[in-house]
Amino acid sequence: MAAERLIPQRAPMRLVDRLLSVHEGCGVAESVLPRENMMADGEGRLDEVAFVEMIAQGYAAFKGYLDLVEGKPAGEGFLVGVRNLEITGRAYAGDRLLTSIRTVTSFGGFAVVEGIVTRGDENVASGILKLWLVEDGR
Amino acid sequence: MNALRNAIRDSAEGDIARTGPDTVVRRYRFAPGFIGFSGHFPGNPILPAIVQVCAVISLAEEEGGKPLRLAAVRSAKFHSPIRPGEEVSIRYRRSCASGEDVCDATLSVAGKTSAAFQLRFSEEEASR
């Protein structure tokens, strides 16, 4: 499903394109960033900070899908914390990047999420994010 | 250098100041037309957390005169949103312990800390 239906971010800050799968507390989102993206340099190499946002938006798409299934509008979500996020690879505009998220816990409008961004068989980033989810935010 | 980092540098106000041997401070003002607000969020622009991190990296690169690769976000807390036009003070302290290049940074608006994080840099393979 197109991420634009599930998350409030819009281009150029929408960094995930599609939600590919949802299973229990997990989801997978796909990103293919264009060369003209503001986070790609002259060689097409993506800024490492993009991986953090991909995990955040991957979770937002997952949550937006659950909201959609329940007939609720997708709310806004804010990144409020990061823990032990390691960037171990690189990626370029045009690469197909998959972001896998797993809900570690959720409580009182907050969610703790484990995310991994992969490029082919390579993990390029992984870590833990904390997000604040605004119910009926739009 | 990518367009986001260029736009961040263009949003700097005043010179880089040193307030200690390893501590650097600079002011920024991200105008309503700043590219980082585009699409985040429509009708409710907020400076994305990753742009805040990127601003610290950009400042450290500018101050140090060489490109840096972000190797880790060890911890980060984003306390309050940063809106268009607000004056943002970025302060960071770099240290090198056990061979690791670590940067402790805070962003503040009107004297209140809006974000604090610890990054780890690598100079290897940076190509911006």
Side-chain angles (χ1 to χ4, degrees):
Chain A
M1 179 178 288
E4 195 159 293
R5 289 187 62 192
L6 306 172
I7 63 176
Q9 289 91 345
R10 292 292 176 264
M13 273 306 299
R14 182 177 53 74
L15 301 187
V16 299
D17 298 324
R18 293 195 298 155
L19 182 67
L20 300 181
S21 68
V22 170
H23 180 66
E24 297 182 348
C26 302
V28 179
E30 178 189 62
S31 305
V32 182
L33 298 190
R35 182 67 184 253
E36 62 273 19
N37 184 277
M38 64 176 168
M39 287 185 232
D41 68 12
E43 299 168 357
R45 182 172 168 178
L46 300 181
D47 203 306
E48 291 86 9
V49 297
F51 305 138
V52 183
E53 187 69 15
M54 283 175 189
I55 296 173
Q57 292 188 15
Y59 180 77
F62 162 81
K63 181 66 168 56
Y65 177 80
L66 297 183
D67 288 343
L68 190 70
V69 168
E70 292 182 10
K72 297 191 292 188
E76 288 182 349
F78 299 95
L79 177 58
V80 295
V82 181
R83 185 158 48 89
N84 295 333
L85 191 137
E86 296 281 335
I87 297 162
T88 50
R90 63 172 70 169
Y92 293 83
D95 285 344
R96 181 175 185 255
L97 303 175
L98 297 181
T99 300
S100 303
I101 62 91
R102 181 178 72 86
T103 309
V104 177
T105 186
S106 57
F107 52 96
F110 291 91
V112 177
V113 177
E114 183 178 56
I116 301 172
V117 181
T118 57
R119 174 196 188 215
D121 294 333
E122 179 191 13
N123 284 2
V124 295
S126 61
I128 306 285
L129 268 55
K130 184 177 181 182
L131 299 123
W132 176 46
L133 309 166
V134 183
E135 295 289 338
D136 301 318
R138 291 194 299 162
Chain B
M1 186 183 300
N2 63 49
L4 176 61
R5 294 207 184 186
N6 270 326
I8 288 170
R9 287 197 179 186
D10 290 345
S11 301
E13 292 191 335
D15 295 327
I16 297 172
R18 278 192 166 273
T19 58
D22 304 307
T23 307
V24 168
V25 181
R26 196 174 204 187
R27 288 180 292 111
Y28 291 78
R29 194 180 301 274
F30 300 98
F34 172 69
I35 190 172
F37 289 123
S38 302
H40 191 279
F41 299 95
N44 183 26
I46 291 169
L47 195 69
I50 61 163
V51 175
Q52 299 177 40
V53 173
C54 205
V56 171
I57 301 169
S58 174
L59 177 56
E61 287 184 333
E62 204 170 348
E63 201 276 332
K66 50 188 170 188
L68 296 165
R69 190 177 78 83
L70 178 64
V73 181
R74 286 181 161 177
S75 64
K77 287 187 177 176
F78 302 94
H79 302 288
S80 53
I82 298 174
R83 305 283 181 182
E86 290 186 321
E87 183 181 286
V88 182
S89 177
I90 297 180
R91 174 186 301 269
Y92 75 77
R93 180 177 180 278
R94 277 177 80 179
S95 58
C96 194
S98 305
E100 294 194 329
D101 184 356
V102 174
C103 175
D104 288 286
T106 59
L107 278 72
S108 54
V109 174
K112 275 187 65 175
T113 300
S114 54
F117 36 83
Q118 186 179 73
L119 311 176
R120 182 164 57 83
F121 294 143
S122 166
E123 292 180 12
E124 298 170 351
E125 300 175 357
S127 62
R128 295 188 190 88

